[in-house]
Amino acid sequence: QKEVEQDPGPLSVPEGAIVSLNCTYSNSAFQYFMWYRQYSRKGPELLMYTYSSGNKEDGRFTAQVDKSSKYISLFIRDSQPSDSATYLCAMSRTGGFKTIFGAGTRLFVKA
Amino acid sequence: ETGVTQTPRHLVMGMTNKKSLKCEQHLGHNAMYWYKQSAKKPLELMFVYNFKEQTENNSVPSRFSPECPNSSHLFLHLHTLQPEDSALYLCASSQDTSFQETQYFGPGTRLLVL
């Protein structure tokens, strides 16, 4: 079983839609949960991270962590064509252990 | 220059060549990372340096050789690579390895091995 599972997509939505991106994981020791956005031919860009369970909001983006289900989500409200990118989830824990990344979900937002 | 920079952005090399990738971070961080990104696969951690000391070598073949002369610079020396080594090589940095939740990535070097 992979440590982190992420649906590769592609996911295609119309402009203005609410987008839900998800990852599941198997290691209950993970404490930090990150979302990165990667545009074509660019490096990943950190969008936001959360510690432990709960929600975190930043503008149109909301990250949600459910540790009991080992499930994390990123919601994008009022999606824009500029949100078209690959979204990577990632997880880590204290102690210098390596960060584990999902394979990424490709998102297309159509104008 | 701001953030994390990488050179070259693109590289084509034969299997017998020797080349080097360079990464520089302008964030005052103490940890630097090399990752390999292949199509539709998760990022693969290759090497980690913390305060110039290598702390992780993730079973990387010896044809990849890292060098970290100071906390701001990281190199990846390449020799006798294989076609399956073609990928995007990403450098990242963080405050130190205790703060991996805030890693900042460079734009990557797109490597093609012929």
Side-chain angles (χ1 to χ4, degrees):
Chain A
Q1 183 183 9
K2 292 180 185 176
E3 281 195 276
V4 177
E5 299 268 10
Q6 185 175 11
D7 187 333
L11 179 62
S12 185
V13 301
E15 183 177 357
I18 296 174
V19 176
S20 172
L21 304 167
N22 312 293
C23 288
T24 59
Y25 62 95
S26 58
N27 189 344
S28 57
F30 288 135
Q31 299 164 291
Y32 294 92
F33 303 90
M34 294 77 80
W35 286 97
Y36 287 84
R37 177 176 62 196
Q38 186 173 20
Y39 290 116
S40 182
R41 307 187 198 291
K42 297 284 181 73
E45 170 197 7
L46 179 65
L47 279 175
M48 56 202 304
Y49 75 90
T50 53
Y51 174 73
S52 194
S53 281
N55 293 1
K56 186 172 185 179
E57 190 173 317
D58 184 359
R60 296 183 295 110
F61 298 88
T62 299
Q64 199 170 75
V65 174
D66 182 348
K67 290 196 78 178
S68 61
S69 302
K70 298 192 184 71
Y71 189 88
I72 70 170
S73 301
L74 178 71
F75 298 97
I76 308 174
R77 290 185 300 281
D78 187 25
S79 56
Q80 303 295 309
S82 58
D83 295 326
S84 298
T86 297
Y87 290 81
L88 310 175
C89 65
M91 301 163 195
S92 68
R93 53 185 172 130
T94 55
F97 294 94
K98 65 182 181 183
T99 301
I100 305 298
F101 288 81
T105 299
R106 191 111 188 255
L107 171 67
F108 294 97
V109 181
K110 300 172 291 185
Chain B
E1 291 276 18
T2 58
V4 181
T5 58
Q6 289 186 244
T7 55
R9 294 293 310 277
H10 302 274
L11 180 62
V12 180
M13 58 188 289
M15 288 191 283
T16 57
N17 291 158
K18 287 185 180 181
K19 295 286 184 184
S20 295
L21 310 185
K22 179 183 176 183
C23 175
E24 184 172 0
Q25 58 93 2
H26 309 266
L27 300 168
H29 289 164
N30 295 297
M32 296 188 78
Y33 311 77
W34 279 117
Y35 287 91
K36 175 183 178 183
Q37 187 176 36
S38 303
K40 302 191 179 180
K41 295 172 94 174
L43 269 67
E44 298 174 47
L45 180 66
M46 301 175 72
F47 301 103
V48 181
Y49 280 82
N50 197 37
F51 294 93
K52 299 190 299 178
E53 298 296 320
Q54 185 174 317
T55 60
E56 180 126 11
N57 176 339
N58 204 30
S59 302
V60 180
S62 60
R63 56 186 184 269
F64 295 91
S65 174
E67 179 189 359
C68 187
N70 54 61
S71 291
S72 299
H73 294 86
L74 185 65
F75 295 88
L76 188 63
H77 303 298
L78 316 172
H79 64 98
T80 58
L81 293 192
Q82 304 298 309
E84 61 264 28
D85 297 322
S86 299
L88 181 68
Y89 288 84
L90 291 161
C91 173
S93 71
S94 68
Q95 185 174 336
D96 60 52
T97 52
S98 299
F99 294 90
Q100 295 196 33
E101 68 276 12
T102 48
Q103 289 187 51
Y104 294 87
F105 285 83
T109 295
R110 177 75 59 184
L111 173 66
L112 178 62
V113 181
L114 301 175

